[in-house]
Amino acid sequence: MSVPCVVCRTMRTRRLFQKGGKDFLRCTRCGLVRIDPLPIPHQLASYYERTYDSGIYAPYAAAEDVRRCIAAHRFRAIRAFARPGRWLDVGCGTGQFIDAARQAGMNAEGLDIAPGAVARARAQGLTAHVGRVEDFEPTARYDTITAFDVIEHTTDPAAFLDRVCRWLVPEGTLVLTLPNVTSIYPRLLMRRYWFYYAPNDHLYYFSPQTIARLLTQCGFAVRSVERAYKPLTLEHVISQLQIFNPLLGRAARVIAAPLSRSVRTRARQCYLGEMMVVAARQAAGAERQNGPPPTRSEELGT
């Protein structure tokens, strides 16, 4: 059944390609890309619980050093502009970012739909909640909400943003990271074989323009849209490629075989075609705009 575009509400789409039994459709008006058909929302929690424990996300969950390095990098990247105080990390997993924020003096907690991941966060003494964004009710508003690699997994990104907007204090900070569908990887280098074209996991694919427009419609003022980097080891990148793009992963494994272990396990800043978006909840009475505000961009199409 056809569904309207979550950004511009048009019903017109163009089929780009098929992958994993799903059609990838681009909105002919605003350019938002989504899969078709979309999954049923209540199926997602059980799916992510399975994949986190023993499926495609299990290697990432087991890579404790990599996750802690990414969490520390993300905190350093946002601490200068994120509003201090009460923080919520949506999609917190096993809690590495919560821990990084708490060590820096923030009153941080997390939310995740995977009970196993939350249990592991709680075992470290962290505050984490099990639940979907649609069902969660915070006890008080937050000064900063982070959602790293989350919004592309949601069945209704507009509803997601509407809800987290209500959880923020006026002018509170929202930080997102997500794949950029106009980056060099899907646009030129890998096209349909881009590792983020994962139809069972990523449901929507935004550009800087479409995510800025949707945020504005949902009550946010967009502050910046920039490239997002992750500190990753070559060994971890290859292991992820073998899951999401087996052909490329096998080739990378052969090429990297002669390299020393120290080279393969040294973390380096990697650009994988992601963007970091910083927005603030508009103050009460601020007029919502129909189009995206100016954003600071760092060659996001390359």
Side-chain angles (χ1 to χ4, degrees), residues 200-211:
N200 292 322
D201 297 275
H202 297 164
L203 313 182
Y204 286 92
Y205 299 86
F206 291 90
S207 67
Q209 293 73 28
T210 52
I211 190 62

Side-chain angles (χ1 to χ4, degrees), residues 155-178:
T155 57
D156 190 341
F160 173 87
L161 292 176
D162 276 333
R163 193 153 180 84
V164 299
C165 185
R166 293 198 296 271
W167 297 348
L168 280 166
V169 299
E171 300 185 3
T173 306
L174 175 67
V175 183
L176 307 174
T177 59
L178 63 157

